[in-house]
Amino acid sequence: MQDQEHIVVTINGEEYLAENNQNLLDLINTTGEFVPQICYNESLGPVQTCDTCMVKVDGQIVRACGTTVAPGMEVNTTIEPVNTAQKEALDRILEKHELYCTVCDYNNGTCEIHNTVAEFGLEHQSRPFEPKPYEIDNSSPFYRYDPDQCILCGRCVEVCQDVQVNETLLIDWKREKPRVVWDNDVPIDESSCVGCGQCVTVCPCNALMETSMVGEAGYMTDHSPGLLRSMIDLTKKAEPGYGPLFAVSDTEASMREERIEKTKTVCTYCGVGCTFDVWTKDRKILKVEPQQESPANGISTCIKGKFGWDYVNSDERLTKPLIRDGESFVEVEWDEALDYVVKRFSEIKKGNGADALGFISSSKATNEESYVMQKLARQVIGTNNIDNCSRYCQAPATKGLFRTVGHGGDSGSIDDIGEAEMVITIGSNTTESHPVLGSRIKRSQKLFGQKLYVFDLRKHEMGQRADRFFQPKSGTDLVWLSAVTKYIIDQGLENRTFIDKWVNGFEEYKESLQKFTLEYAEQLTGISKKELIEIAEQIVSVDKLAICWAMGVTQHQLGSDTSTAISNLLLITGNYMRNGTGAYPLRGHNNVQGCSDFGSMPNFFPGYEQVADNDVRGRYEDAWGTEIPSEPGKDNHEMIKAIHEGSLNALYVLGEDTGIVDANINYVTAAFEKLDFFVIQDLFLTKTAEYADVILPAVPSLEKEGTFTNTERRIQRLYKALDPVGDSRPDWQIIMDIANKFGYDWGYSNPSEIMDEAASLAPLFAGVSYDRLADYNSLQWPVNADGTDTPLLYTDGFPFDDHKARLYSLEYELKYDTNEKYDLHVNNGRVLEHFHEGNMTYKSIGITSKMPNAFIEVSPELAEERGIKEGAEVKLTSESGEATGIAHITDRVRGKELYLPLNDNGKLAVNYLTDNNVDKDTNTPSYKEIAVKMDVIKKKGKSPLPPNNYRRGNPQPQISVKVEDKWDRDDYIFPGSQVKHDV
C-alpha cells in the first residue's frame, strides 16, 4: 500500500512506510537497524565523504546518506558484501585517526568514531594509522585543530559553508595529504573565522576541540605532549585489540560523568535565544554544546554564546553588599544593606510620596525577576514608575505593531524568516547583532534562492551579501516604505482579498499616502524613482515576504511611525497570518522581550494589559491585597528628567548600566548626583554603580533558575549550573527579601512559583508552567490555559474587537539633519565580538584579543578630505559632549557617515554625543541622530583593528565540501567497487 504522502520500502525483508523524497539513511535510522554513519549528521544532511553507510539497494552498493527512497526499493544492510564495504570504509578512517580514547579529552561518550567502531565490532584495522605532515594549529584562543586526528569527514566545512555561512573552511583535496584549511591556507587566528564554534560542535572526534577542554576533561589528559605520546604508545601496547581499549576508555568516560556537569541554559547575550548544554567541572566552564532540539538555534552558536562566559568567573565579580562611605564603599552583611534600603525608601516615600521612587528592571534578568521587580514597585511601594531598557531600543517597534496588528512581538518564528521567499532587513546589522538568525537568512539566500534586500546606512556583511543594497538618507525609511506602499496601491497590486477580509481603514490610509510620491521619496531618501518601482515590483512578485528591523529604525524621533509603516506595507501586501511572512522586530538583549512581557513598563501590567483598565487593575489589587495607581508611571527617560526637576528622589536600577547606555551621559550622570538615594543591583562595579549609595551583588544566568523570552516570543527555561560566588544572590531573591523587610509575606521558594503567579494573572501566559518548559521544551505566547501556544500569530484574525487589523495613517517631517558646524553624521550599533557596552565580553581574554577596543569607522573619501590615515586619533564633538577614539578607514561607511560601535564605556562611549531628543510616541532616545564635527588629534597611528580580526580574513565561498573533488582523486576507490563485481 502507498499513498501520495508515503511509499513502501523494504529493508532487510521488512516493509516500512517512508515519506516521499525521504533520505534513505534517515529512514533506516528509524528502524533499529545499525548502519555506520560517521560523516552524516541530521542537522547537516548528507556530506558523503566517509563512505561508511554502505548498503545494497536494488542490487547495487550505494551510500545510504546520498540516496533518496523510491517506491518498491529493496534495501539490505547486513549481507557480506555490504559488511565488507563498510569495514573497508572504517579502515580508511582509522588510517587517518589514531584511537587513544582513554587519554583523549574527547572520550566523553560522544566520539562518533569510537562509538561506530565499537558497535560495528571491529577489533583490528587492516591499515596502520599514518601520521600527516602537519602541526596542530593552536593559534585560535577558542579551539584547536589536530590534522593527525582529522578524518576529512567535512562536517566542519559543511557547517561553516552552508549553516553558519561564514565560508571560511574548506578541504584542500588537491594536496598529496588533504587537510582542512582556513581561508587560503592560513592559521586559524589569521583567517576570517568568526569564532562561532560550530565546526567544533559538529566534529565527530577530537580533531577540533575547544581549548577549554584540552587537558581538563579526562582523568589522564593533563600532560605535556611528550608524556601524552608515551601514554598513547603504552596504551596501544597494553591493549592489543579495540575491545579491551574500548572497555577501559568507556570506564574512564563513565568516571567523567561524575565530575562533569551538563546543564541546559539559555544564552545571556542577544535576543535570538540560543539554548545549549554548558559543561562545567567545579567552576570551570569546559564547553558549550548546542543540541539539535534547541528550538531557536539548533546546532548553531556565535562567538559570545559559545566562548563568551569568562565573565562568570571574573575576579571583578561583586561578592558582598556595599554601602557608600564618603567617596568609597564598605562591605556589609545582607541584613544591614537591605535594612538600609528599606529605611531610606520608606523615608522618601513618607516624605515625598510613592512616585518619588523609580525602578528600572533588567533585560538581562529573568522573566520572573521582571515580574517581582514590577510587583515591588506597584504592590510594596505603590508606584507605576517601572521601566526597562526596551525603552532604549524596541518600544517603537512594539508601538507600531500594537497600532496595526495588536501584538507587540514577532509575528512568527525564526523558521518563518528562513522560509520566506524574500526578506527585507531595515536598520539591522543582523550578522553581528543576531548572528545565528543572520545565518538562517544567509543560508536561505545561498541554498534556497531567498531574495535579500537590505536597507542601511552602512554596507555591513548583510549589505555585501544582499541581492539589492540601498543606503537611504538617515531617518527617511518611513518615506521610501510609504512611497513603495503607495505605488503598489496606485498600480492596483495590493492584496485586495486579504485587505477586504482582514484589514480596516484602507480608504483613509490610501488618502494619507498622497504626499508620498516617488518623486518626493527620491528627493528625501536618495533612492531613485526607478529603484523604488523595482523594490515595489519585487515585493509583490513573491508570495511570502518577511521584514526584519532593529535599532536603525527604532532609535529615531520617528521610530514608532517607521515601524508602523513597515506593518502597513505588510498588511497591504497580505504578508501576515501565514508561515514565511510577517513582521520581525529583532530584539537586542536576551530578555528585553520578556522583561516588557512580564510587566516592567510604566503603563502595562504583565501581558500588556493597561494599568488604566479598572478590571485589569482590580484583578491585581485583589491578588496582591493593595491599591495600585491608575495613572501610568514614568518611563526611564522621564525618570531622569524628574530627578533633575526634583520630583524623583530615589532610584533602584537592576542590571542596567544606565549611566553608559542611556542617551546624553553627562545629563544622566548629573541626575545621579542629585538623587537622595540610589540602589544598584549588578554583577560588577559598573560606571553607573560608582554613583550608588548601595550596591547589591547579583548573579549571572548560570547561577540561578528562571526563564527568558527571545525575539520570537519563545519562553525557555534556564537551569542552575553553578553556585553563586561569595554572598551574591539571584535577583528575585534580593527583591523578595526587600519586599519582606517591608512587612510583606512573599514566600517564593523557587522561580517556578513566581511564574505560576504570573500565569494566573496574565491571560497571555495562562498555560505557562515549568513542567511544560522542561529541558528543551518551549512555549511561544500567547499560551492558552491548556498549554497550547502560538508559534504563528494571527491565524484566526487580529486581537481587536472585530478581529481585523488596522492601517495607520502617518505624516512625515524630517526631524534631524547635519549642519554647517556639525557636518558629520554618527551612526552606531553592535559588533559581533562584544555585547553592548562590553561589561561582560571584555572579561573574555579571547574575545578581547580579537577586538580590544571600540573605534570610529571613517570612509576613505572623508579620510582623504581630512588628511588622516588608519589609526588616526580624532575627537568628535556634538552639542551634548565629545568622544575621542581611533579611526578605522573602511568602505563599510561612505561620505560623511561615521560609525561607532557601542562597546565602549570610556572616552569613546557614544552616549557622550547623544542628546535628549526622543521618539515622539515612546520616548526612545534618538541614538541614531547625532551630528558632530571632527578634530584631528593625530593623523595616523596603529590600526584599532588587530591583524587577527576576522574582518581582515579572506573567505572562500563554496557549496558544501566539494566531495566530488575527493572522488576524482587518483587514489580514491569507492569501497563498494570491488564487491560490485561479485553481485
Side-chain angles (χ1 to χ4, degrees), residues 681-745:
Q681 193 163 301
D682 216 312
L683 306 181
F684 302 105
L685 186 65
T686 63
K687 293 291 186 180
T688 304
E690 293 175 3
Y691 294 87
D693 296 294
V694 177
I695 304 174
L696 305 176
V699 303
S701 58
L702 291 186
E703 295 175 8
K704 62 186 174 185
E705 293 194 24
T707 61
F708 292 150
T709 305
N710 78 342
T711 189
E712 51 180 354
R713 301 171 285 106
R714 187 184 301 279
I715 305 171
Q716 304 181 100
R717 276 185 72 175
L718 52 132
Y719 294 81
K720 181 180 174 182
L722 301 169
D723 289 329
V725 170
D727 289 340
S728 60
R729 295 179 181 177
D731 293 294
W732 68 269
Q733 288 186 6
I734 300 171
I735 297 166
M736 180 174 68
D737 289 342
I738 291 174
N740 289 342
K741 281 186 176 291
F742 266 103
Y744 288 80
D745 185 20

Side-chain angles (χ1 to χ4, degrees), residues 914-926:
T914 49
D915 56 28
N916 291 338
N917 288 327
V918 295
D919 171 52
K920 64 184 178 61
D921 298 306
T922 64
N923 279 344
T924 294
S926 52

Side-chain angles (χ1 to χ4, degrees), residues 405 485 488 493-500 502-503 506 539-540 542-546 566-583 798 805 807:
V405 290
T485 305
I488 289 171
L493 300 174
E494 74 274 15
N495 189 327
R496 287 301 323 181
T497 302
F498 180 85
I499 293 168
D500 291 343
W502 293 114
V503 183
F506 177 77
I539 287 172
V540 297
V542 299
D543 182 49
K544 295 181 177 182
L545 167 69
I566 292 170
S567 192
N568 284 337
L569 173 58
L570 290 166
L571 287 171
I572 286 294
T573 54
N575 279 292
Y576 276 112
M577 305 182 74
R578 294 176 294 130
N579 289 115
T581 69
F798 297 87
L807 289 164

